[in-house]
Amino acid sequence: MNPKHGIAKRNSRDKLARNVIFLGGVAMVAGVVGIFLFLLAEVLPLLGGAEVAERSSEATPIAQPAVVIADEYQSHLVLMGKDASFAAIKVAQQEIVFSGRLPVGDNESITGVGKVPGRDALTASTDQGRVLVQAVSFKSHFAKAQDGEGRGERIVRPEKGDLTQVVVDEKKRAITCYAVQQAESGTVGVVAQLDDGNVLLSQRSVEVNQFTLEEEVSERKLETKFDGKLVHLLLTGDFRRVFGALDDGRLVWWDIRGEEFGSPQYGVAPQSMRKAQLPKITALEFLLGEQSLLVGRADGRVSIWFPVRIAEGRNDFKLSRIRRFSALEGEIIAIAASRRNKGFLALSSKGELEVSYSTTGVLDWKGSTNVPGASAITYTPKADGLVVAGSKQAKILSLKNEHPELTLGTLFTPVWYEGANQPAYEWQSTGATEDYEPKLSFMPLIVGTIKGTIFSMLFSIPIAVLGAMYVSQFMHFSLRRYIKPVIEIMAAIPSVVLGFLAAIWLAPKVESFFTSLLLMGLFLPAIIVAGGFLGLRLPVSFRARFPDGIASVFFIFAILVGAALCLLLGPVVEHLVFGGSFVLWATDVMGAPYEQRNAIVVGLAMSFAVIPIIFSISEDAFSNVPKTLVSGSLALGADRWQTVTKVVLPTASPGIFSATMVGFGRAVGETMIVLMATGNTAIMSMNPFNGFRALSANIAVEIPEAPVDGTLYRALFLSGLVLFAFTFFINTLAELVRSRLRKRYQAL
């Protein structure tokens, strides 16, 4: 064989191997970069703001509209003026579908107009103590296709519904301020202030007898005296609370308790706002859910108010201002709340319009309406459009604001949610009702991830590193060749199996034998140290009878005996020290409620997944220390322990640190164990006796329920990006530390 031919063949193989390795490295880097770019592409839409553009401009027959209603397809508008005249027009064709005026009697005049919150219904009050409610509906269907197959064009047509007349006051006193509510059952409630100052609630319920199918009408009327002058009123949908705005700029509210009004309570303004400084309230509306109030004032500002519980365990509330938005030019003359989320619109007397989101406190968009005499606004039902109506003109604006509820503030800072006593970090993505407000704070998830990682590493690092040191440096070879493979096989156990066992078997056992586990943590290390100390005190002639490293058998026996004693003494110690139950003692004395699935259980279960990784890499690091260093140390008079701690351990420290970081990454990204063994409670607590929710487990729990491209969907991708960035940062830091340690000890 030609030697040159052999060399050329070997060189070509080396070149091929280098190219394959290079391409593999490039592919790995490209894969990591690709994952990062994909996550980033899914997250970037969260950073976009609101986009508003004019869709159409329509001429209307109403000179000064006070109310405007739009259908979900933005094909028709219904407008009502201050004189209770109304008209429905077809967009783009300027066709009047129907028009009219709410009927009033002779010598009767309109004192106010409005609409029912969250419903398509026009309302008006009169000076004869009556309130009129005109329902409006939008019927839609598809025309037949011209070819006779499939569906044709969608046809929408507005229709007038039933007209409901509510006699608020039998004495026919004039209504100066009022509000209307209508329930799904058909119950209509009206709260009004009369010209003598009294506030009156009139509720009219209609029930259908299931046997006779006859309608049974019942009425309830409540009245209370009140000295202040109300300029705006609101009534909740359950007819249990009344909110009002006074002419001096204050807010007032009543609880309806049984068959009477409660005492009036007043909104608590910040101390910086004195009564004399309160601007006049010019607009008052409910947010979606009717828990929060949108308060517009003459200074051009909108603020959010809702009742806050005075103290835990009490049923007393105070109406408090939660947040305030930046001012518009001119006074606020109209506010409209979205039917889809906690967003709202505000219109100023100067024609400025703002699109804001109440929970975030962020002004998403602000601009001029360019509508002469703009006086009425509304969201379209799908919150994908806005309508601004003015002097015989209305504009329909398209709105693109896909993720207003998510900002950096809501993700990483405390948010004051409706019904809460104070700002808090909360994750709760879904609720029982459509008006539920999603709470998407990452902080409980980040704290949960850190909590689970800390407890798992507390168990894993000492056992894995010290075990690797003992196996590689002290254990007899005949045992080492069995121990290391067995521990490495543990890494092959599926995490779902570990999580299942932790939830079903380990968690109840830990609760029952927690005192015994505490005793093991205290006494087993002492037993090991004492055993080693006593072993060194045995005569040399006796120790010489046994091979080096065989002492591990006696240590294992001592550990088993010590564990058995701890299990036997656990109930006795629990009775003497903890009053018979550690669980109750922890809850009552320490103030740390004990939950069966907690961080201790997760730490124990996750250590079965992390220990094999740290042990295997650490054992290799110990074993790869040059034998010349060990021999030189022993030759200079150092004993085995001194050699291991002073020479072997520092030399192997870069590998040990790498092993720890790999185990740390495994713990951070663990999903199934923390999913099954923690209870998945997203809370901000480092209490080891309660559960938590980690970022990885949260993705597994929430992703099946997340609509594609929705806010929750993209928030989960953002949590994946946070995990990616966190592990990348930790690995980069670990590599820097490892390189520094290697340079430090490479001269040994």
Side-chain angles (χ1 to χ4, degrees):
M1 181 177 179
N2 188 350
K4 292 184 178 180
H5 177 72
I7 294 174
K9 188 175 182 180
R10 184 168 61 251
N11 290 338
S12 63
R13 289 177 178 176
D14 290 343
K15 184 177 181 180
L16 177 62
R18 286 196 301 270
N19 291 336
V20 170
I21 294 172
F22 174 77
L23 291 176
V26 170
M28 182 175 295
V29 173
V32 173
V33 173
I35 292 173
F36 173 76
L37 293 177
F38 173 73
L39 292 174
L40 191 62
E42 293 293 334
V43 168
L44 281 178
L46 293 175
L47 305 179
E51 298 177 8
V52 177
E54 183 176 335
R55 181 170 175 262
S56 65
S57 180
E58 309 295 329
T60 68
I62 306 298
Q64 287 294 325
V67 177
V68 59
I69 298 173
D71 70 300
E72 62 179 320
Y73 305 109
Q74 304 177 28
S75 62
H76 291 80
L77 300 178
V78 178
L79 303 100
M80 183 170 70
K82 295 181 179 180
D83 61 350
S85 60
F86 58 86
I89 63 171
K90 189 173 183 179
V91 173
Q93 299 182 13
Q94 298 184 359
E95 172 190 347
I96 298 178
V97 181
F98 62 77
S99 62
R101 186 171 185 266
L102 294 184
V104 294
D106 297 336
N107 301 321
E108 187 177 20
S109 59
I110 299 295
T111 59
V113 295
K115 66 178 181 179
V116 179
R119 296 188 177 277
D120 296 332
L122 308 172
T123 66
S125 63
T126 74
D127 60 356
Q128 298 294 313
R130 290 196 310 148
V131 168
L132 309 174
V133 181
Q134 175 65 65
V136 177
S137 62
F138 297 94
K139 305 294 184 180
S140 65
H141 66 278
F142 288 94
K144 291 184 178 180
Q146 294 182 356
D147 57 3
E149 297 181 1
R151 296 187 301 185
E153 180 185 4
R154 177 187 282 111
I155 298 176
V156 180
R157 186 170 184 83
E159 296 181 358
K160 289 191 296 183
D162 296 332
L163 175 67
T164 303
Q165 302 186 43
V166 181
V167 179
V168 178
D169 182 37
E170 301 289 349
K171 300 177 182 178
K172 297 185 178 182
R173 288 171 289 183
I175 296 175
T176 59
C177 183
Y178 80 105
V180 181
Q181 269 290 359
Q182 191 169 16
E184 292 286 349
S185 61
T187 300
V188 177
V190 178
V191 61
Q193 185 175 40
L194 307 177
D195 56 5
D196 60 1
N198 287 3
V199 177
L200 191 147
L201 172 66
S202 177
Q203 184 177 335
R204 182 175 181 270
S205 303
V206 179
E207 296 183 2
V208 178
N209 190 304
Q210 299 299 320
F211 295 99
T212 64
L213 299 181
E214 295 180 352
E215 291 186 349
E216 299 177 358
V217 180
S218 60
E219 293 189 0
R220 180 178 72 150
K221 292 186 184 293
L222 308 177
E223 188 171 351
T224 185
K225 293 183 178 181
F226 187 64
D227 295 332
K229 178 176 176 54
L230 296 168
V231 292
H232 297 282
L233 274 171
L234 290 175
L235 175 64
T236 57
D238 58 4
F239 311 106
R240 293 181 179 179
R241 275 184 179 169
V242 175
F243 296 93
L246 292 165
D247 60 353
D248 60 5
R250 291 182 299 163
L251 289 170
V252 63
W253 62 299
W254 292 267
D255 270 330
I256 308 298
R257 299 174 179 175
E259 296 300 319
E260 62 180 12
F261 278 86
S263 300
Q265 304 176 62
Y266 295 89
V268 180
Q271 294 182 357
S272 59
M273 297 179 63
R274 298 180 180 178
K275 178 180 176 181
Q277 298 174 336
L278 289 176
K280 180 182 177 182
I281 296 176
T282 53
L284 185 67
E285 291 290 341
F286 277 128
L287 265 178
L288 178 69
E290 299 181 354
Q291 294 189 47
S292 297
L293 302 179
L294 292 163
V295 181
R297 296 184 181 271
D299 62 354
R301 287 182 176 271
V302 177
S303 54
I304 308 295
W305 296 66
F306 58 73
V308 176
R309 193 180 298 274
I310 295 176
E312 289 292 339
R314 296 179 57 184
N315 200 31
D316 297 327
F317 297 84
K318 60 181 179 181
L319 186 61
S320 303
R321 194 188 78 184
I322 306 303
R323 57 185 64 90
R324 188 168 61 158
F325 294 81
S326 58
L328 296 180
E329 186 179 354
E331 67 179 36
I332 302 297
I333 59 173
I335 297 176
S338 170
R339 298 189 192 181
R340 286 293 183 95
N341 52 37
K342 301 295 182 178
F344 67 90
L345 310 175
L347 177 67
S348 76
S349 58
K350 300 293 185 179
E352 271 196 322
L353 179 69
E354 72 167 295
V355 180
S356 300
Y357 199 81
S358 65
T359 305
T360 62
V362 172
L363 176 66
D364 294 322
W365 182 87
K366 181 170 72 172
S368 176
T369 61
N370 295 320
V371 176
S375 56
I377 53 175
T378 190
Y379 264 107
T380 57
K382 292 182 179 180
D384 57 354
L386 323 170
V387 181
V388 183
S391 179
K392 293 194 174 183
Q393 183 184 6
K395 280 189 177 181
I396 300 178
L397 309 175
S398 63
L399 172 65
K400 184 179 180 182
N401 194 18
E402 297 178 341
H403 312 290
E405 59 267 56
L406 210 61
T407 65
L408 290 178
T410 57
L411 288 173
F412 300 108
T413 61
V415 178
W416 201 333
Y417 292 104
E418 290 179 341
N421 294 341
Q422 59 187 0
Y425 299 103
E426 291 189 36
W427 175 278
Q428 191 176 356
S429 60
T430 56
T433 60
E434 293 182 356
D435 55 15
Y436 172 79
E437 180 178 18
K439 304 174 178 66
L440 303 177
S441 174
F442 276 5
M443 293 306 296
L445 309 179
I446 293 173
V447 169
T449 302
I450 295 173
K451 180 179 177 180
T453 302
I454 288 175
F455 282 99
S456 64
M457 299 304 282
L458 283 177
F459 290 117
S460 302
I461 292 176
I463 295 174
V465 174
L466 295 178
M469 184 173 70
Y470 183 81
V471 169
S472 66
Q473 301 298 316
F474 296 99
M475 183 174 282
H476 194 269
F477 175 75
S478 60
L479 292 176
R480 187 192 314 166
R481 63 181 180 178
Y482 295 110
I483 295 296
K484 185 178 179 182
V486 169
I487 294 178
E488 290 178 343
I489 288 174
M490 287 173 56
I493 300 176
S495 59
V496 66
V497 174
L498 294 175
F500 177 77
L501 292 176
I504 301 301
W505 178 79
L506 182 61
K509 294 298 181 183
V510 169
E511 183 180 17
S512 301
F513 298 99
F514 193 84
T515 306
S516 299
L517 290 177
L518 289 177
L519 294 177
M520 290 180 191
L522 292 174
F523 292 112
L524 290 186
I527 290 173
I528 295 173
V529 173
F533 179 79
L534 293 175
L536 292 175
R537 295 297 181 269
L538 292 174
V540 176
S541 58
F542 179 79
R543 285 185 288 162
R545 299 178 183 178
F546 302 96
D548 289 340
I550 203 66
S552 56
V553 176
F554 299 100
F555 279 115
I556 293 173
F557 177 76
I559 290 172
L560 292 176
V561 172
L565 289 175
C566 290
L567 289 174
L568 292 174
L569 294 175
V572 178
V573 174
E574 187 171 29
H575 178 74
L576 295 176
V577 178
F578 303 118
S581 173
F582 176 83
V583 173
L584 296 178
W585 181 86
T587 303
D588 298 337
V589 178
M590 295 180 60
Y594 187 98
E595 299 175 7
Q596 189 178 85
R597 299 183 183 184
N598 54 49
I600 301 293
V601 174
V602 172
L604 291 171
M606 204 183 298
S607 63
F608 280 88
V610 176
I611 284 176
I613 297 173
I614 301 178
F615 174 88
S616 181
I617 301 175
S618 298
E619 201 276 339
D620 289 339
F622 281 115
S623 299
N624 289 333
V625 174
K627 299 299 181 183
T628 54
L629 294 177
V630 177
S631 301
S633 175
L634 294 174
L636 291 173
D639 59 24
R640 188 67 176 173
W641 177 252
Q642 290 174 325
T643 300
V644 171
T645 56
K646 301 296 184 180
V647 177
V648 177
L649 184 60
T651 307
S653 59
I656 296 172
F657 186 79
S658 297
T660 303
M661 289 299 101
V662 172
F664 183 86
R666 174 73 167 83
V668 168
E670 176 55 46
T671 301
M672 294 310 299
I673 294 176
V674 294
L675 177 66
M676 303 176 73
T678 63
N680 281 303
T681 50
I683 55 176
M684 292 278 292
S685 172
M686 292 303 290
N687 175 15
F689 305 131
N690 60 21
F692 58 89
R693 179 180 287 194
L695 282 166
S696 55
N698 186 66
I699 295 173
V701 169
E702 299 283 1
I703 199 66
E705 307 296 330
V708 176
D709 295 336
T711 300
L712 176 59
Y713 178 84
R714 298 198 184 279
L716 295 177
F717 274 96
L718 179 58
S719 64
L721 185 61
V722 170
L723 266 178
F724 183 94
F726 184 67
T727 53
F728 182 82
F729 171 77
I730 292 297
N731 289 337
T732 302
L733 181 63
E735 180 61 24
L736 294 175
V737 174
R738 188 189 66 82
S739 299
R740 187 170 181 178
L741 289 174
R742 174 175 288 182
K743 290 179 181 179
R744 181 177 180 180
Y745 295 110
Q746 66 182 357
L748 291 177

